[in-house]
Amino acid sequence: MANIFSVDLEDWYHANYNRGSESGVARGESIIPRNVMKILDLLDENGSKCTFFVLGQVAEKFKDILRDIAARGHEIASHGFDHKLVYSQTEKEFREDVRRAKGTLEEITRKEIKGYRAPSWSITARSLWALPILLEEGYRYDSSIFPTQNFMYGIKNAPRFAHVHNLAAGNLLEVPPSTVRFCGTNIPFSGGFYFRVCPEFMIKTFSRIVSRSGYPTVFYIHPREIDTRQPRLELTFKNKFIHYAGIKNCLKKLTSIMSAFPMTSIEIFYGKFFREGVL
Ligand SMILES: [Zn+2]
């Protein structure tokens, strides 16, 4: 079975460690062009497809890169416009952000944008009001609810696999990042910090366990996670560890996992549902 591969397309300074804070302002050289090329080549080498959740600010800056990604058969979806935490916004601000992001991406790619992933997985128990807004704004799926709980995000008992939110205005598909269940707890492994610190054999084993449940593993990565030359943010010791641990070996690990596991985009994997109008 194919797995799902996704990239949160943002720059090295897009981070939300301080509650309620906005992500950093643009400074220095962007790491996006060189890393997107690496990821696109890796995808082509393995005949894989990917969903790129693109930040609106990034899309405006790199229109040609965005068109290249779409021309190579990958899905463009939305990561919001400004990388603000959903639960730190008002409903009105959130609506404006996701509307602006969708409009920007559709204008550049000339394609319908179906999916949304919140900055730092910030649709949590206190920001579930975001789901009907996404549907009303024309999104057809969400990939923002992490079925775990930590200091920044997650809903501990959220469903671990893809499911449908039956909302008053219709159905919205939810595609959560993957976890394995161990001693009554959901253990993340398939992206970000977890992917970087988890040994390769464990990621492979966990992905096979997810497959046996009949679902794809939903992998995710940020360009900065495969870039050892990026400028560094000033962070606390703990946040520095979360942000930079395991970057040195991440590309090697990703290359190996991509060659071992077939990957596709969310739009392709759930294409039947989108085409039949179920979602
Ligand atoms: Zn992000």
Side-chain angles (χ1 to χ4, degrees), residues 69-270:
I69 293 171
R72 286 164 84 157
H74 306 293
E75 177 186 10
I76 303 287
S78 161
H79 194 37
F81 197 89
D82 273 335
H83 216 267
K84 288 179 190 160
L85 295 167
V86 175
Y87 52 72
S88 72
Q89 299 178 65
T90 64
E91 295 186 25
K92 186 169 173 281
E93 285 165 346
F94 176 74
R95 187 185 291 279
E96 280 164 11
D97 183 87
V98 297
R99 182 182 291 176
R100 188 177 176 201
K102 193 173 192 287
T104 302
L105 296 170
E106 288 182 343
E107 200 182 304
I108 297 169
T109 61
R110 301 273 163 213
K111 283 184 177 165
E112 183 201 355
I113 302 301
K114 298 184 179 75
Y116 172 76
R117 176 174 289 160
S120 305
W121 311 101
S122 55
I123 298 187
T124 64
R126 60 192 172 119
S127 51
L128 287 172
W129 47 258
L131 299 174
I133 294 176
L134 287 173
L135 196 61
E136 286 158 23
E137 292 301 320
Y139 289 93
R140 297 164 77 179
Y141 74 85
D142 175 60
S143 181
S144 308
I145 300 179
F146 213 126
T148 186
Q149 186 87 59
N150 65 29
F151 72 104
M152 196 188 272
Y153 57 74
I155 300 179
K156 201 169 136 193
N157 296 316
R160 289 174 50 225
F161 300 119
H163 56 284
V164 173
H165 300 290
N166 298 117
L167 304 168
N171 292 335
L172 184 74
L173 174 69
E174 182 69 40
V175 185
S178 295
T179 55
V180 283
R181 189 102 180 131
F182 184 72
C183 292
T185 305
N186 297 337
I187 313 287
F189 67 95
S190 65
F193 168 77
Y194 313 105
F195 183 91
R196 283 181 274 122
V197 298
C198 215
E200 187 182 319
F201 80 92
M202 273 173 72
I203 297 173
K204 289 181 172 173
T205 303
F206 288 168
S207 180
R208 290 188 185 106
I209 291 171
V210 170
S211 294
R212 283 203 290 275
S213 305
Y215 289 90
T217 299
V218 179
F219 290 95
Y220 64 95
I221 197 117
H222 303 80
R224 64 174 179 79
E225 294 182 291
I226 56 166
D227 194 307
T228 52
R229 296 188 290 125
Q230 66 188 293
R232 299 281 160 144
L233 291 165
E234 278 174 37
L235 299 170
T236 62
F237 182 79
K238 176 186 157 198
N239 290 342
K240 201 179 280 178
F241 180 69
I242 294 169
H243 205 64
Y244 297 116
I247 282 184
K248 205 166 151 239
N249 292 319
C250 192
L251 181 60
K252 193 166 154 265
K253 196 192 286 182
L254 182 65
T255 305
S256 168
I257 286 169
M258 291 263 275
S259 65
F261 294 88
M263 309 271 191
T264 193
S265 66
I266 294 172
E267 186 179 40
I268 293 173
F269 195 94
Y270 292 104

Side-chain angles (χ1 to χ4, degrees), residues 8 10 14 16 55 79 83 118-120 222:
D8 291 358
E10 60 194 46
H14 290 119
N16 307 84
L55 198 64
H79 194 37
H83 216 267
S120 305
H222 303 80

